[in-house]
Amino acid sequence: MAQVILSPVPAGSALQDRLKTAYFHDSYQLQLPDDGSSPMALYLRCVGRTPGWIDFLMRLRNRVVAPFGIKDLGTLSGVDAQRQPSSYRVGDRVGIFRIRHLSDTEVVMGQDDKHLDVQVSICKQPAAPGTAPRVVLSTVVHIHNTLGHAYMAVITPIHRVIARGTAQRLADHGPN
């Protein structure tokens, strides 16, 4: 079982230029055996393993924030399980996010709303000799107003549990 540890956003990540002005950011890294999976394939595995309680919280969130004009995002697991990872392009919607950046080493997903902007990255970093590649899951949030601050006050502790748990599920189940 791979260990998940808190880490900085990787130096080569497309999120680097967003960190200076971010209200919040975090990253969790793990090492996985390299089966050749792209970052997009790893992201799809992550959301495909979303526990029911997280989707329940997303549905609850969507009902609670609707009166404030915040978007209904659906659920994390709301992706087409039959679609091939290689068929996705920048701009495509994947569950609650749109693809912002897509390369052989990283996928950045994002969602903008009137209260805040969120970007989530899965970055696959090359292995040092004799080790497995590192996979880093990062989140960066920019807040626009008081509603965004209130939202993050509630969501931040929940986000940390979900982000770390997502990385741990990927570590526990490996690349398959």
Side-chain angles (χ1 to χ4, degrees):
M1 177 186 329
Q3 180 183 8
V4 173
I5 60 171
L6 195 60
S7 72
V9 173
S13 171
L15 295 180
Q16 273 297 320
D17 65 341
R18 307 268 308 165
L19 292 178
K20 290 179 190 169
T21 58
Y23 170 80
F24 171 87
H25 65 87
D26 67 357
S27 293
Y28 297 92
Q29 80 173 18
L30 60 142
Q31 288 186 298
L32 288 179
D34 192 3
D35 69 347
S37 292
S38 68
M40 188 71 219
L42 293 172
Y43 177 79
L44 293 171
R45 281 191 204 125
C46 286
V47 296
R49 295 176 180 152
T50 301
W53 67 268
I54 294 174
D55 279 345
F56 170 80
L57 287 177
M58 283 299 299
R59 286 189 293 276
L60 179 62
R61 172 241 179 246
N62 291 333
R63 283 195 297 268
V64 169
V65 301
F68 300 100
I70 296 174
K71 294 175 187 173
D72 179 330
L73 298 176
T75 60
L76 279 171
S77 66
V79 298
D80 180 356
Q82 303 306 311
R83 188 168 174 184
Q84 294 299 309
S86 61
S87 73
Y88 285 96
R89 301 292 178 257
V90 171
D92 287 353
R93 178 159 288 287
V94 185
I96 68 173
F97 296 114
R98 285 204 183 278
I99 300 173
R100 300 277 176 81
H101 170 84
L102 187 59
S103 72
D104 292 339
T105 58
E106 185 177 28
V107 61
V108 176
M109 313 295 288
Q111 179 60 52
D112 297 345
D113 209 334
K114 68 181 186 181
H115 65 305
L116 54 77
D117 298 341
V118 176
Q119 292 191 60
V120 174
S121 160
I122 293 187
C123 187
K124 191 173 172 184
Q125 299 193 303
T131 65
R134 286 188 323 141
V135 175
V136 184
L137 286 72
S138 304
T139 304
V140 175
V141 177
H142 288 83
I143 291 181
H144 301 307
N145 54 34
T146 303
L147 180 58
H149 284 282
Y151 183 85
M152 284 303 292
V154 172
I155 295 303
T156 298
I158 298 166
H159 161 80
R160 286 189 172 126
V161 169
I162 292 172
R164 185 176 201 71
T166 298
Q168 192 62 60
R169 278 188 304 283
L170 190 57
D172 292 348
H173 297 286
N176 296 318

